[in-house]
C-alpha cells in the first residue's frame, strides 16, 4: 500500500509537470482555450499529488536518506531543501497566477507565470529524483505521534 501511494504521488507530480510544459507550448502557439484547460489540469494533478503525499506522510511517516555519506550534503542541499522550499512557494504562486488569468489581467499573469513555470519544473524533476534516490537508499524515519 505504501509503495502504491508513493507511486501515485510521484506519477501525479510528473504528469502535472508534463501538462505544464504542454500548456506553455499551447500558449506559445496562441491556443488560449487549451492553454487554460491544460494548465488547470496541471494544477489539479499537483493538488492530487499533495493529497497522496500527505496521506503517505500521515500513515507511514517519512523516509530518511541512508545512502553513501559522501553524497549526503548534495542530497540535502541540492535536492531536498530547495525542493521543499520551492514546493511550498509553488502552491500560492500558482493560485496567484491562475487568479490573475481568470480576472483577465494577462500582463501580470504572464510576468508571474514566467517565474512559476521554472520553479514548477524544478519541483517535479527533483521530486522524481528524490523518489528514485529514496527507493534505493531510503531508511524508515518513523511516524510523528501527537
Ligand atoms: C498554473 C496555471 C498557469 C500557468 C503556469 C500559465 C502559464 C503561462 C505562461 C508561461 C504564459 C506566457 C507564455 C509566453 O511566454 O509567451 C501564459 C500566458 C497566457 N495565459 Fe496562462 N498559465 C496558467 C493558467 C492560465 C489560465 C487558467 C488561463 C485562462 C483563464 C490562462 C490564460 C493565458 C493567456 C490568455 C495568456 C496569453 C497572455 C498574452 O499573451 O497576453 N493561463 N500563461
Amino acid at each position: 500500500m505504501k509503495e502504491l501511494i508513493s507511486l501515485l504521488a510521484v506519477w501525479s507530480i510528473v504528469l502535472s509537470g508534463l501538462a505544464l510544459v504542454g500548456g506553455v507550448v499551447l500558449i506559445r502557439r496562441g491556443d488560449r482555450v487549451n492553454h487554460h484547460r491544460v494548465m488547470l489540469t496541471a494544477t489539479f494533478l499537483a493538488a492530487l499529488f499533495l493529497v497522496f503525499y500527505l496521506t503517505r506522510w500521515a500513515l507511514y511517516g517519512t523516509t530518511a536518506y541512508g545512502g553513501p555519506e559522501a553524497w549526503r550534503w548534495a542530497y540535502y542541499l541540492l535536492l531536498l531543501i530547495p525542493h521543499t522550499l520551492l514546493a511550498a512557494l509553488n502552491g500560492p504562486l500558482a493560485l496567484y497566477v491562475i487568479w490573475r488569468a481568470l480576472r483577465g489581467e494577462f500582463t501580470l499573469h504572464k510576468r508571474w507565470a514566467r517565474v512559476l513555470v521554472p520553479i514548477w519544473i524544478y519541483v517535479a524533476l527533483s521530486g522524481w529524483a528524490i523518489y528514485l534516490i529514496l527507493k534505493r537508499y531510503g531508511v524508515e524515519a518513523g511516524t510523528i505521534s501527537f
Side-chain angles (χ1 to χ4, degrees):
M1 189 64 179
K2 182 181 170 189
E3 192 47 36
L4 177 67
I5 297 176
S6 302
L7 204 63
L8 288 171
V10 80
W11 273 109
S12 51
I13 200 65
V14 168
L15 288 176
S16 160
L18 290 176
L20 185 80
V21 173
V24 172
V25 171
L26 286 166
I27 198 67
R28 288 275 163 88
R29 290 182 180 163
D31 187 344
R32 290 183 167 208
V33 173
N34 285 316
H35 169 72
H36 181 167
R37 288 183 184 142
V38 169
M39 285 312 195
L40 291 183
T41 305
T43 308
F44 172 76
L45 287 167
L48 204 61
F49 160 77
L50 201 61
V51 172
F52 289 133
Y53 179 79
L54 291 177
T55 306
R56 182 191 181 284
W57 182 77
L59 291 179
Y60 305 106
T62 50
T63 309
Y65 176 80
E69 280 309 307
W71 289 102
R72 179 178 291 278
W73 69 272
Y75 172 74
Y76 282 99
L77 287 183
L78 302 180
L79 275 177
L80 191 63
I81 294 172
H83 171 82
T84 310
L85 294 177
L86 291 173
L89 182 69
N90 201 71
L93 195 55
L95 293 179
Y96 177 78
V97 161
I98 293 171
W99 182 58
R100 288 298 180 193
L102 294 178
R103 285 177 61 102
E105 294 167 350
F106 293 118
T107 307
L108 277 172
H109 171 70
K110 261 172 94 166
R111 185 179 303 156
W112 286 102
R114 285 176 182 171
V115 176
L116 172 65
V117 168
I119 292 178
W120 195 322
I121 290 172
Y122 172 81
V123 170
L125 290 179
S126 56
W128 180 248
I130 290 167
Y131 170 76
L132 292 179
I133 290 170
L134 292 183
K135 212 166 139 56
R136 171 82 175 78
Y137 294 117
V139 287
E140 298 295 323
T143 47
I144 295 170
S145 47
F146 295 98

